Amino acid sequence: MPDEATGRYDDETLHHLQRVELKILEDIDRVCAEHGIAYFLDSGSALGALRHGGFIPWDDDVDVGMLRADYDRFLEVAPAALGEGYCVSEPVGNPRQSALFAKVWLVDTKFYTDETLRAGIAQGIGIDVFPYDALSADAAVAAKQLKACRFWQSVMYVYHSASVAVPHGGALGALERAAVRAAHGVLRLASSHEALLRRFSAAAAKGAENPGDEVFCGSYAQFGSYPASIFLPTRLEPFEGRKLPVPGGAERYLEIMFGDWRQLPPVEQRRQHRPVELDFGPH
């Protein structure tokens, strides 16, 4: 587990966690190769590949992305192809999951956060799998798509938890936290996971009616959109001694997401997920 005083891992634990996550990534890579599914290292994992040749040194997770057709195909084949040692969790099949993307975890491990404990999810050590949807060619519709996805993902988080991160501290932060608790109570009475998921999914899929040249990740719509041509075809880059796919235009992708991605962030901005319980099981 992370150190209680600093909230950070000791080096041995972090390196072991990264090795286990790398094994999961290798299995996902195998399944995608066997079934002709295009995927790419996403977000901080793509950044790690280009800047560090592997994990960002302090990073404790792996992210992969897929365009929608590949994502849907992955969800079809992955549970059987990965085998009984894995759980493929996604919000349609798991009504306790607030994150509106898939997670692949080892069933005999624990990676419990405050969020998953409150939701009652026995989450293991795993990898996040993000779908990318078409953004509408109509600029007004596209703006509504992004706004709606941001809104419904936020509402889903509040539905599942009375305690979420708020933007301020002090008295204003206390008021914001009280408002979240009140909104949580109202949502639990007036709505459902399935209803909120339908709203989010409809917004994410709106671009398929008149697709433009951009795609976006609905779960992180605050980052905006990317030219679809950035992603496919992918290219291979070194990652922990292996060659794994990144977006074909990875440098431009990272510029859009991170700005000056080659510059190391200050120590205080080096984020980790900080599970409250971490168990490697037999791994």
Side-chain angles (χ1 to χ4, degrees):
M1 291 177 59
D3 180 83
E4 291 184 3
T6 65
R8 304 190 71 83
Y9 302 91
D10 63 83
D11 288 345
E12 182 179 355
T13 300
L14 177 58
H15 293 158
H16 190 86
L17 177 59
Q18 290 173 342
R19 288 194 297 272
V20 173
E21 290 171 340
L22 186 59
K23 172 61 169 61
I24 302 169
L25 180 57
E26 289 173 337
D27 285 338
I28 290 176
D29 180 78
R30 171 185 56 79
V31 168
C32 289
E34 290 172 353
H35 293 272
I37 296 169
Y39 84 95
F40 44 86
L41 297 179
D42 189 79
S43 187
S45 298
L47 174 59
L50 268 67
R51 193 172 68 192
H52 302 279
F55 285 96
I56 296 173
W58 56 88
D59 203 3
D60 64 346
D61 76 338
V62 174
D63 300 319
V64 303
M66 301 174 185
L67 299 188
R68 172 59 67 175
D70 288 301
Y71 177 84
D72 289 345
R73 175 66 176 149
F74 179 78
L75 292 186
E76 287 179 8
V77 304
L82 287 168
E84 295 181 355
Y86 283 100
C87 172
V88 180
S89 177
E90 44 77 34
V92 174
N94 186 354
R96 293 180 178 273
Q97 180 172 312
S98 58
L100 296 174
F101 51 85
K103 294 172 174 283
V104 177
W105 67 66
L106 290 164
V107 297
D108 49 2
T109 63
K110 295 180 182 179
F111 194 95
Y112 294 172
T113 65
D114 286 332
E115 176 189 331
T116 59
L117 286 173
R118 286 192 295 268
I121 299 175
Q123 178 176 277
I125 296 169
I127 288 177
D128 293 338
V129 184
F130 297 102
Y132 282 74
D133 287 288
L135 198 65
S136 175
D138 184 312
V141 174
K144 290 179 181 178
Q145 259 188 286
L146 293 169
K147 182 178 180 181
C149 285
R150 286 195 300 270
F151 176 77
W152 292 114
Q153 175 67 95
S154 297
V155 171
M156 183 69 91
Y157 280 128
V158 175
Y159 173 85
H160 281 282
S161 176
S163 176
V164 298
V166 296
H168 300 96
L172 180 55
L175 287 173
E176 290 170 340
R177 288 189 291 274
V180 167
R181 289 192 295 271
H184 171 76
V186 171
L187 284 168
R188 298 298 291 191
L189 290 172
S191 191
S192 68
H193 173 91
E194 292 76 14
L196 298 178
L197 178 58
R198 284 194 298 270
R199 296 275 193 153
F200 174 88
S201 299
K206 190 69 175 176
E209 299 171 5
N210 181 24
D213 298 327
E214 303 260 316
V215 297
F216 75 109
C217 179
S219 301
Y220 286 94
Q222 66 268 30
F223 288 111
S225 61
Y226 309 85
S229 58
I230 277 181
F231 295 104
L232 301 181
T234 61
R235 72 177 203 249
L236 297 178
E237 289 289 334
F239 192 91
E240 301 298 334
R242 296 141 181 86
K243 290 278 193 174
L244 294 174
V246 301
E251 291 82 2
R252 179 61 183 142
Y253 165 73
L254 293 174
E255 287 170 6
I256 295 171
M257 178 168 279
F258 296 109
D260 185 8
W261 57 272
R262 294 176 176 84
Q263 181 69 33
L264 290 175
V267 173
E268 62 272 14
Q269 295 179 15
R270 298 178 183 180
R271 186 178 64 89
Q272 294 177 329
H273 288 81
R274 303 183 183 184
V276 296
E277 185 172 356
L278 176 65
D279 187 344
F280 292 102
H283 304 277

